[in-house]
């Protein structure tokens, strides 16, 4: 009889390292692919929402099929490691290509590019994700060691997610600034006789309709050569700028602007100032402006940051493949895709957990998808990236601390059911605090760490609880259906995470479209039209005729509501499902264990 010795540090480290790399890649895609294609590359938020949802749902239903393929695999390297290696290699390549979209593509070409490579990314990720989680029985003993390895993998996956959450925008900005600063494609365009308008904003940051046309204006714009190949549009959010108006300096911290360029001889800029600043301006005021595009910085930054993450991902999983040795006799039962879903339906406790997890993950993913827009367009300011990074650093640290310290501490005093309730209450409290702070005009980043603590601590602990609850449903299913279906149940965890991310991405995309939260939010600028100057002038004339037209700030109220109230609603529904449907208390689990032990004892006696 083949036995497996107790796992040592090397195997545990290798398996955990693979989880870190795996979820670094997943978090980069889940949190930033919408931002990259919608905010940087200019793909419609509606279109991206549909692409993300279709791809994730397709990928989620593809997971069980991959499980069947893995189960049927026979090779000298085992069932799991060949797919783990191949899936990682191809997924790393696709990840880089996905974040390296050519800026020269047409609008339709970019949509096709995003759809093709995002779907390919999901398929190749499944190729390595399913064998990663399914291989645990192939190198561990059953029982506590197996559960410990699953918990270790989930914890390390959380660490990988937190790392990417913390460092992405810092790294993207640094890499992009470094490379574009040395780029030979950078050009400076001096606009000839630009039309410059100063418009008045009231206390609600709405344009009153009052304006002044300046006669003495000079504008210099620096950007990538490709940005000036056709008509160009800049806002305060996709450029760094310094404006001098009669000796007073303006940046995105104390002003807003929109600039449309058809050519060096045809351009128009609108500068928005509050009532006091507006009153000091006259038609003869001296105006000079220097703008530097940040679109290329982020595009290049994401391209090469994704390359770094892809390489680390491959190296980490390579360590896993080398250090983990599969048992040659391990057997994985092969069942059809239909049987997998039938098994889930027959296990009412697993079904309850799947529904609960989908809703919990959807709630948190809605916020994570919209968080970068909240910092960029709501809190805004020239240091929005620094504030966003600070918040993510704190939130990621809390998530890791919650998994490694808070959960063991709470487990000493409460059972897992009560801990789940505490987590739901904590997350809801965090969202309510976040909404109150946003609606009352809080702009400093540090107060937002308070709701961040409550939400991310809950998320970290629930990551651990999910693994425990699903493991419990395996024993329950074995007792009820006389089948122990660990691979089926745990493949459902991957399924629900991907399904939830697709739903959340669609909701986020709808929010961005409905409330016009994007680069250039304000006028509806159609980049495919020949004259952006005419479009911007028509927009300004609309403000003059109607007055009190919100430029940007009021549109983020919808963003605040979607990223707070909607998650609260979904969490409440998740809690109701959990409380009514999930019944595997500690006492019931103990009873189930006793019944299974008795059944196995009877089977052994009969065999003798």
């Amino acid at each position: 009889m083949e036995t497996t010795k107790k796992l040592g540090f090397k195997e545990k480290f290798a398996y955990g390292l693979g989880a870190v790399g795996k979820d670094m890649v997943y978090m980069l895609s889940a949190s930033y692919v919408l931002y990259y294609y919608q905010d940087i590359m200019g793909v419609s938020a509606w279109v991206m929402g549909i692409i993300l949802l279709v791809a994730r749902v397709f990928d989620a239903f593809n997971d069980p099929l991959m499980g069947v393929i893995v189960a049927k695999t026979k090779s000298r390297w085992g069932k799991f490691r060949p797919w783990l290696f191949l899936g990682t290699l191809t997924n790393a390549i696709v990840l880089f290509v996905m974040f390296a979209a050519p800026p020269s593509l047409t609008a339709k070409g970019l949509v096709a590019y995003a759809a093709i490579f995002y779907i390919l990314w999901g398929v190749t990720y499944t190729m390595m994700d399913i064998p990663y989680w399914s291989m645990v029985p192939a190198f561990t003993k059953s029982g506590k060691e197996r559960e410990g390895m699953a918990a270790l993998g989930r914890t390390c996956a959380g660490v990988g997610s937190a790392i990417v959450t913390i460092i992405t925008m810092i790294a993207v900005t640094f890499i992009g600034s470094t490379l574009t600063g040395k780029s030979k494609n950078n050009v400076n365009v001096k606009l000839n006789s630009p039309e410059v308008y100063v418009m008045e904003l009231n206390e609600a940051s709405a344009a009153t309709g009052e304006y002044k046309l300046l006669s003495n204006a000079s504008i210099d714009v620096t950007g990538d050569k490709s940005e000036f190949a056709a008509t160009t549009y800049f806002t305060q959010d996709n450029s760094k700028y310094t404006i001098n108006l009669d000796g007073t300096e303006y940046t995105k911290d104390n002003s807003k602007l929109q600039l449309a360029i058809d050519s060096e001889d045809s351009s128009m800029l609108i500068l928005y100032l509050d009532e006091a600043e507006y009153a000091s301006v006259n038609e003869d005021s001296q105006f000079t402006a220097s703008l530097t595009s940040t679109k290329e910085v982020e595009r290049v930054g994401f391209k090469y940051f994704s390359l770094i993450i892809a390489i680390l991902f491959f190296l980490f999983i390579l360590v896993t493949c080398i250090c983990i040795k599969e048992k040659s006799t391990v057997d994985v039962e092969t069942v059809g895709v239909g049987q997998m879903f039938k098994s889930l339906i027959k296990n009412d406790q697993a079904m309850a957990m799947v529904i609960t997890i989908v809703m919990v993950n959807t709630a948190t993913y809605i916020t994570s998808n919209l968080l970068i827009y909240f910092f960029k367009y709501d809190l805004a300011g020239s240091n929005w990236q620094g504030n966003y990074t600070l918040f993510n650093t704190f939130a990621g640290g809390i998530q890791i601390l919650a998994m490694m310290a808070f959960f063991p501490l709470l487990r000493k005093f409460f059972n897992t059911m009560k801990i789940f309730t505490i987590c739901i209450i904590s997350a809801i409290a965090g969202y309510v605090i976040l909404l109150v702070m946003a609606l009352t005009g809080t702009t400093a980043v540090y107060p937002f760490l308070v709701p961040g603590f409550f939400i991310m601590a809950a998320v970290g602990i629930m990551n651990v609880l999910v693994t425990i609850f699903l493991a419990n449903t395996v024993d329950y299913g074995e007792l009820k259906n006389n089948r122990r279906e660990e691979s089926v149940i745990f493949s459902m965890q991957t399924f629900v995470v991907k399904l939830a991310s697709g739903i959340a991405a669609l909701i986020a995309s709808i929010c961005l479209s409905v409330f016009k939260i994007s680069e250039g939010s304000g006028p509806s600028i159609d980049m495919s039209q020949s004259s952006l100057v005419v479009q911007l002038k028509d927009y300004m004339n609309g403000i003059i005729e109607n007055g009190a037209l919100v430029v940007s700030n009021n549109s983020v109220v919808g963003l605040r509501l979607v990223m707070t109230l909607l998650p609260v609603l979904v969490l409440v529904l998740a809690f109701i499902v959990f409380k009514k449907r999930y019944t595997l208390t500690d006492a019931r689990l103990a009873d189930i264990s006793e019944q299974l032990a008795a059944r196995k004892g009877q089977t052994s006696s009969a065999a003798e």
Side-chain angles (χ1 to χ4, degrees):
M1 179 178 178
E2 185 174 344
T3 60
T4 303
K5 65 179 181 179
K6 189 174 182 180
L7 295 177
F9 173 79
K10 183 180 75 171
E11 289 87 356
K12 292 179 180 179
F13 174 80
Y15 191 71
L17 187 65
V20 172
K22 187 178 72 67
D23 269 54
M24 286 173 66
V25 166
Y26 186 83
M27 184 54 65
L28 180 62
S29 174
S31 295
Y32 293 102
V33 73
L34 174 62
Y35 175 77
Y36 173 78
Y37 278 100
Q38 191 257 339
D39 229 50
I40 297 174
M41 303 306 295
V43 177
S44 165
W46 283 96
V47 173
M48 281 307 301
I50 294 171
I51 290 173
L52 296 180
L53 178 63
V54 170
R56 303 315 285 156
V57 171
F58 167 79
D59 192 36
F61 282 95
N62 183 49
D63 286 352
L65 179 60
M66 190 65 214
V68 173
I69 295 173
V70 171
K72 292 183 177 181
T73 298
K74 293 181 180 180
S75 78
R76 57 180 296 188
W77 299 283
K79 293 178 179 294
F80 308 101
R81 288 187 296 169
W83 288 108
L84 188 61
F85 179 85
L86 180 62
T88 298
L89 178 61
T90 54
N91 186 254
I93 294 171
V94 173
L95 178 79
F96 169 67
V97 176
M98 185 170 66
F99 280 100
S104 59
L105 287 175
T106 63
K108 291 182 179 179
L110 195 56
V111 169
Y113 187 96
I116 291 170
F117 285 103
Y118 189 71
I119 291 173
L120 280 177
W121 180 87
V123 171
T124 54
Y125 187 84
T126 296
M127 285 173 59
M128 60 77 50
D129 189 52
I130 294 298
Y132 177 85
W133 295 114
S134 301
M135 71 186 296
V136 174
F139 65 89
T140 63
K141 298 178 180 179
S142 60
K144 291 186 177 180
E145 188 174 53
R146 184 176 298 178
E147 293 175 7
M149 288 302 292
L152 173 66
R154 293 297 172 189
T155 301
C156 291
V159 172
S161 297
I163 289 172
V164 166
T165 299
I166 291 168
I167 69 171
T168 295
M169 291 312 299
I170 297 177
V172 165
T173 302
F174 175 77
I175 294 170
S177 299
T178 301
L179 295 180
T180 57
K182 299 177 180 179
S183 174
K184 295 180 180 179
N185 287 327
N186 283 345
V187 295
N188 177 264
V189 176
K190 187 175 182 64
L191 303 177
N192 301 318
S193 302
E195 293 182 74
V196 176
Y197 295 84
V198 178
M199 301 200 72
E200 181 185 53
L201 296 178
N202 60 23
E203 293 181 355
S205 294
T208 64
E210 297 294 326
Y211 76 96
K212 296 172 183 176
L213 173 61
L214 306 186
S215 57
N216 300 309
S218 174
I219 301 175
D220 292 309
V221 186
T222 302
D224 186 81
K225 188 184 299 181
S226 62
E227 293 182 276
F228 300 106
T231 53
T232 307
Y233 178 68
F234 292 101
T235 71
Q236 67 272 7
D237 295 306
N238 55 37
S239 63
K240 294 180 180 178
Y241 65 88
T242 301
I243 292 174
N244 191 290
L245 187 55
D246 284 341
T248 301
E249 190 171 278
Y250 296 98
T251 64
K252 63 176 64 178
D253 285 326
N254 60 355
S255 68
K256 299 181 182 297
L257 68 74
Q258 288 152 334
L259 171 65
I261 306 173
D262 287 342
S263 67
E264 293 182 20
D265 299 315
S266 178
S267 59
M268 176 181 172
L269 183 144
I270 302 177
L271 177 68
Y272 300 94
L273 300 178
D274 61 33
E275 295 173 357
E277 297 290 345
Y278 175 81
S280 66
V281 178
N282 58 68
E283 284 76 3
D284 296 324
S285 293
Q286 295 293 316
F287 178 96
T288 60
S290 177
L291 294 87
T292 301
S293 170
T294 58
K295 280 187 175 181
E296 190 68 3
V297 170
E298 290 192 344
R299 188 189 71 80
V300 172
F302 268 105
K303 177 180 179 179
Y304 291 101
F305 178 67
S306 67
L307 177 61
I308 293 171
I309 295 298
I311 292 173
L312 290 175
F313 172 43
F314 176 75
L315 293 177
F316 287 0
I317 292 294
L318 184 61
V319 172
T320 304
C321 291
I322 292 174
C323 296
I324 296 294
K325 304 299 181 183
E326 297 180 33
K327 292 186 295 182
S328 59
T329 59
V330 68
D331 183 43
V332 179
E333 183 181 6
T334 302
V335 295
V337 176
Q339 180 60 41
M340 287 187 171
F341 284 99
K342 288 179 182 178
S343 298
L344 179 65
I345 293 172
K346 290 180 180 179
N347 189 329
D348 59 293
Q349 295 301 290
M351 178 64 76
M353 277 313 306
V354 164
I355 296 173
T356 301
I357 297 168
V358 167
M359 289 192 286
V360 168
N361 284 340
T362 298
T364 55
Y365 287 159
I366 288 172
T367 305
S368 65
N369 276 321
L370 293 175
L371 188 64
I372 190 170
Y373 296 94
F374 174 73
F375 275 89
K376 185 172 184 178
Y377 297 109
D378 195 340
L379 298 188
S382 59
N383 191 40
W384 76 267
Q385 290 176 327
N387 291 336
Y388 174 72
T389 300
L390 173 63
F391 181 87
N392 278 336
T393 301
F394 175 82
I398 291 299
Q399 184 177 354
I400 295 172
L401 189 63
M403 290 186 291
M404 302 182 70
F406 294 171
F407 174 74
L409 179 62
L410 287 173
R411 194 67 180 91
K412 293 181 179 180
F413 303 99
F414 306 102
N415 60 42
T416 52
M417 306 276 280
K418 289 183 179 179
I419 293 175
F420 185 82
T421 300
I422 292 171
C423 289
I424 292 292
I425 294 173
S426 173
I428 291 175
Y431 279 119
V432 171
I433 295 171
L434 177 61
L435 176 62
V436 171
M437 292 173 61
L439 294 180
T440 53
T442 304
T443 57
V445 66
Y446 291 102
F448 285 99
L449 300 183
V450 175
F453 173 86
F454 286 106
I455 296 171
M456 297 311 298
V459 169
I461 294 174
M462 283 192 286
N463 283 341
V464 180
L465 288 174
V466 163
T467 303
I468 295 174
F469 288 150
L470 283 177
N472 294 342
T473 67
V474 173
D475 289 341
Y476 170 82
E478 182 180 4
L479 179 66
K480 181 180 179 181
N481 303 319
N482 294 314
R483 293 173 62 92
R484 187 168 184 86
E485 299 173 313
E486 289 172 311
S487 60
V488 175
I489 298 301
F490 280 98
S491 71
M492 287 299 110
Q493 183 166 346
T494 303
F495 168 84
V496 298
V497 167
K498 292 178 179 179
L499 180 61
S501 68
I503 296 171
L506 179 63
I507 293 172
S509 300
I510 292 173
C511 171
L512 297 176
S513 296
V514 170
F515 298 109
K516 295 182 173 65
I517 307 294
S518 66
E519 296 284 14
S521 57
S524 179
I525 295 292
D526 185 354
M527 296 297 290
S528 66
Q529 298 301 310
S530 58
S531 178
L532 300 184
V533 172
V534 171
Q535 292 182 67
L536 187 56
K537 187 170 293 186
D538 289 342
Y539 170 75
M540 188 192 72
N541 289 333
I543 295 176
I544 295 170
E545 293 175 5
N546 301 315
L549 182 63
V550 175
V551 175
S552 61
N553 279 359
N554 285 5
S555 64
V556 299
V557 172
L559 171 66
R560 299 169 187 169
L561 295 177
V562 172
M563 66 180 287
T564 53
L565 291 185
L566 187 56
V568 167
L569 175 61
V570 176
L571 286 174
V572 169
L573 293 175
F575 183 68
I576 292 173
V577 171
F578 177 80
K579 292 294 287 185
K580 286 189 174 183
R581 299 294 182 183
Y582 188 78
T583 60
L584 298 181
T585 62
D586 288 349
R588 192 178 182 195
L589 286 169
D591 182 59
I592 289 173
S593 297
E594 290 178 3
Q595 293 185 57
L596 287 175
R599 179 186 293 176
K600 291 176 181 177
Q602 293 172 0
T603 302
S604 298
S605 299
E608 293 176 359

